[in-house]
């Protein structure tokens, strides 16, 4: 099994940037497709973006396209999401997820989850 730990969340003003990390242990992430989801106050968990096992392809939710970028560093066994031009509606707990066999926008695909990191964007 793979264990995932998110970090890098915090409070930022609208228009600012944050980079979240998802550090994996137990298994190498080169064998896993990975994704970021988020859950805002009182909302459902929603897909943010995903990256394939090789890191060769990414996909994003429309609202973050052009602002967020997902990458994997297999040597560090870590996935990242660079978030630029942040908006108050990006405020949420951000979760990373991983799966050996699937990749896509549905939470049920992913077998392994981190505990989340809070991102708060002030207006």
């Amino acid at each position: 099994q793979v264990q995932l730990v998110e970090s890098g969340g915090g409070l930022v003003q609208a228009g600012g940037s944050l980079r979240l990390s998802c550090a994996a242990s137990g298994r190498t992430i080169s064998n896993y497709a990975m994704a970021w989801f988020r859950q805002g106050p009182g909302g459902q968990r929603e897909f943010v973006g995903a990256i394939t096992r090789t890191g060769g392809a990414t996909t994003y939710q429309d609202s973050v396209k052009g602002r967020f970028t997902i990458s994997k560093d297999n040597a560090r066994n870590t996935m990242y999401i660079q978030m630029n031009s942040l908006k108050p509606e990006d405020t949420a707990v951000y979760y990373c997820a991983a799966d050996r066999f699937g990749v896509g926008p549905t939470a049920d695909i992913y077998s392994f989850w981190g505990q989340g990191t809070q991102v708060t964007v002030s207006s």
Side-chain angles (χ1 to χ4, degrees):
Q1 292 193 356
V2 61
Q3 292 79 44
L4 305 173
V5 178
E6 302 93 336
S7 62
L11 174 64
V12 63
Q13 289 188 332
S17 299
L18 280 175
R19 188 178 79 158
L20 307 183
S21 300
C22 174
S25 61
R27 293 289 188 271
T28 176
I29 63 171
S30 61
N31 293 327
Y32 291 80
M34 300 182 75
W36 288 96
F37 287 77
R38 66 186 181 187
Q39 187 165 9
Q44 293 187 344
R45 193 168 295 190
E46 66 172 1
F47 174 75
V48 176
I51 188 165
T52 57
R53 285 185 293 176
T54 64
T58 53
T59 183
Y60 300 94
Q61 179 201 110
D62 285 347
S63 69
V64 307
K65 283 181 181 177
R67 299 189 298 125
F68 291 10
T69 303
I70 295 173
S71 60
K72 292 173 79 180
D73 185 337
N74 289 337
R76 296 180 182 273
N77 222 31
T78 301
M79 175 180 65
Y80 304 97
I81 184 167
Q82 177 68 43
M83 305 187 297
N84 299 328
S85 302
L86 282 161
K87 304 175 181 180
E89 50 264 43
D90 295 318
T91 294
V93 177
Y94 283 71
Y95 299 89
C96 65
D99 195 86
R100 283 202 66 187
F101 304 108
V103 61
T106 305
D108 288 348
I109 291 172
Y110 300 92
S111 301
F112 304 101
W113 291 83
Q115 294 301 305
T117 185
Q118 176 71 47
V119 171
T120 302
V121 184
S122 63
S123 57

